[in-house]
Amino acid sequence: MIHSTGTPPVSEELFAFAVRLAARAGRMCAEAFHGERPSSERKPDGTEVTAVDLAVEEFVRKELAAAFPADAVLGEEAGPRAGTSGPRAGTSGRRWVVDPVNGTRQFGDRMPAFSTDLAFEDEHGPAIGVVNLPMSRQLVAAGRGLGCWLLLGTDPDPLEALRSGRGRLRADGRTELTGARTQAHNIAGWPESLLTALHRRVWLVPTGGGALDVLAGRADALVIAGPALGYEDLAPLPVIVAEGGGRITDLTGAPVLEGDGSVLVTNGRLHDAFLDVVAEAVQKGSTRAVLVDAHPGWAAEGAALSAELQAALAPEARRVEHIGSTSVPGMAAKPVFDLQVSVADLAAASDAFDAPLAARGFVRSRHETDHVPAGRDDGQDRWVKRLWTRRGGPGPDVNLHVRCAGSPNERLALLFRDWFRAHPEAVPAYARFKRELAHRTADSGSYAEVKDPVVDLVAEVAEGWAKETGWRP
């Protein structure tokens, strides 16, 4: 993939700064790797963190604050930091994304298969990506418009590489899918249908250097499935793969930073063929619920979607609100927006909504009732709704729930959201439960069936909170 002329290249000086900072952070990790085994603890989401993770991220944050105080920083361990003032995006509109030790478990187990990752995003999108493999003294770095480079040693000179052209990576290789050498990451968590479909067509091998191996011609593709990767894991990859001549999406073909937490990296020539095989596997097999980490842009995107649909569905739509897990700050969720439309007359609204929703890519579902929480005396007729879904665009995936204003199911959707917003300390535990459930259930239907009783328990607690506080929808 050649750099698009529609966006400007990143500056060489900024590229060099990012490479040198990631190199210094990697040296800290390497020194700690050879020292005493670091103690670890569990974060609220169930993953591990060590003192080395925290120290390296703090070092990177201090360096970024000194050099670019107005830039935002999103870190794997400490979360987001805004600029010196202003909103979460920072006063500059630019953001750095830091994963100090990508592979904390491997680091703690003395396996030299971890990296220190750094990414930079500006108003045009991903601009710089750096993946430093300090134990092998390899650093992969790319800048928009500057190419993708493999730099060797503990103190690489990025500007010398740009001048000399040494170490530049450009994907090449086969055009035939059958037998393609495909690195399979986290294969134990793959759906059986995906594993079977790819096993029949390609040569599946253990993960080695990941995207680096694809760009260097040592592999034809990389597939990551199972438990979803976080944003910090993915952030450096789009510019690295694009500038290295490859192609990257999630396994549905969506942009990887907006997708379901899965990854497909290819040499570019094989990408569509891989997506066809994956799509066929999903059609034949069960679709497992896939959760991703909360994204800081979900709130704004949900508000924009609500406003768009409010205008499109007026006057029948009394209000449109962002509900569900993507509406709760910090909550892991399936990458699908749930929106609720409150109406006076369900049947009349349903007829009026078909045309404007179809024009926006929505399909009406036959599902017309909600789960009635345990212990309720309500009849099913009080929990009716209409449901439209959109998958694959235009715009993000959406579940659009249309419910009668004042109905118990309309009220519960808002109460569930507002209770979690008012109790952020409960979010990590619920998110951890959802991740474990998604990993252990074979398909989305089973996931929802097991989750419903837990939602009922949360609703019971939330009802008590509503009475104490006087909460109203």
Side-chain angles (χ1 to χ4, degrees), residues 371-376 383 412 416 430 449-463:
H371 163 74
V372 180
R376 301 266 183 147
W383 291 76
L412 182 59
F416 187 84
Y430 186 67
E449 184 176 348
V450 177
K451 190 178 73 168
D452 278 344
V454 178
V455 172
D456 294 350
L457 293 174
V458 174
E460 185 175 347
V461 174
E463 290 289 1

Side-chain angles (χ1 to χ4, degrees), residues 209-223:
L212 168 60
D213 285 348
V214 177
L215 301 181
R218 295 189 289 267
D220 301 303
L222 165 69
V223 176

Side-chain angles (χ1 to χ4, degrees), residues 187-378:
I187 199 168
W190 285 22
E192 182 180 352
S193 56
L194 174 64
L195 177 60
T196 302
L198 286 179
H199 176 69
R200 289 171 176 169
R201 295 294 305 277
V202 304
W203 180 20
L204 292 176
V205 298
T207 307
L212 168 60
D213 285 348
V214 177
L215 301 181
R218 295 189 289 267
D220 301 303
L222 165 69
V223 176
I224 303 176
L229 295 185
Y231 191 90
E232 296 85 356
D233 302 311
L234 301 171
L237 296 180
V239 66
I240 286 176
V241 175
E243 291 292 330
R247 185 176 168 193
I248 182 170
T249 65
D250 74 358
L251 288 176
T252 72
V256 72
L257 296 184
E258 303 169 16
D260 60 11
S262 63
V263 178
L264 173 62
V265 176
T266 71
N267 62 11
R269 299 166 178 81
L270 297 173
H271 209 88
D272 289 334
F274 266 96
L275 291 176
D276 288 343
V277 172
V278 172
E280 184 179 352
V282 170
Q283 291 171 2
K284 289 183 177 180
S286 60
T287 55
R288 172 172 287 182
V290 178
L291 272 67
V292 301
D293 288 341
H295 190 283
W298 280 348
E301 194 164 5
L305 286 167
S306 299
E308 175 194 346
L309 291 170
Q310 180 78 66
L313 302 179
E316 285 80 7
R318 289 190 173 184
R319 62 179 180 179
V320 181
E321 296 208 44
H322 184 194
I323 60 170
S325 291
T326 58
S327 70
V328 178
M331 179 72 78
K334 290 181 288 185
V336 181
F337 287 88
D338 284 282
L339 303 179
Q340 176 169 272
V341 183
S342 300
V343 300
D345 187 313
L346 196 57
S350 301
D351 294 338
F353 290 172
D354 272 326
L357 289 176
R360 288 165 173 79
F362 285 86
V363 176
R364 187 164 169 179
S365 169
R366 290 181 295 176
H367 184 74
E368 295 188 346
T369 57
D370 282 316
H371 163 74
V372 180
R376 301 266 183 147
D377 295 329
D378 299 343

